[in-house]
Amino acid sequence: MDTLDKLAEVLESRKGADPDSSYVARLYSKGLDAILKKIGEEATETVMAAKDGDADKIVYETADLWFHSLVLLAQQGLGPQDVLSELDRRFGLSGLEEKARRSE
């Protein structure tokens, strides 16, 4: 089992947990808006790290962004495999071709 699958299992297990026992359980209890706010914050921090050009900060902030994105997926009943399947579907397509297909 890879890291994303293990993390998805943990996130799923936190859905019913006491909000006082887990950061993720607390996020779930606050609802979608709180999760989206965290993703926005982490995306901004990732951009700022990239602007600073600090590789360690970029990796750290990207990990936070991915983590909170996985929380969102789990909250919505989705998982990493759903995203990986979509990326696999796009593999070999030019970005321009893929974007054109979305607007059809």
Side-chain angles (χ1 to χ4, degrees):
M1 180 181 288
D2 72 5
T3 303
L4 290 177
D5 291 331
K6 289 188 280 190
L7 184 53
E9 266 188 19
V10 170
L11 295 176
E12 193 65 32
S13 75
R14 298 294 195 267
K15 282 185 174 179
D18 179 351
D20 292 330
S21 70
S22 157
Y23 169 76
V24 172
R26 188 173 303 135
L27 267 179
Y28 287 145
S29 74
K30 290 180 179 180
L32 180 60
D33 286 345
I35 295 168
L36 296 175
K37 182 179 177 185
K38 280 306 292 181
I39 291 172
E41 289 171 10
E42 299 304 342
T44 299
E45 290 171 2
T46 302
V47 168
M48 291 177 357
K51 294 284 279 178
D52 290 344
D54 183 329
D56 289 339
K57 283 169 105 176
I58 293 168
V59 170
Y60 182 89
E61 295 302 344
T62 300
D64 281 352
L65 178 58
W66 286 15
F67 176 84
H68 287 90
S69 296
L70 289 168
V71 171
L72 171 65
L73 288 173
Q75 192 264 352
Q76 295 290 309
L78 301 165
Q81 193 54 51
D82 296 297
V83 177
L84 294 172
S85 293
E86 175 60 15
L87 289 171
D88 189 52
R89 182 191 69 77
R90 295 180 189 186
F91 195 82
L93 289 177
S94 83
L96 296 174
E97 180 182 354
E98 198 284 323
K99 189 172 181 175
R101 285 182 181 187
R102 283 188 267 160
S103 62
E104 292 176 354

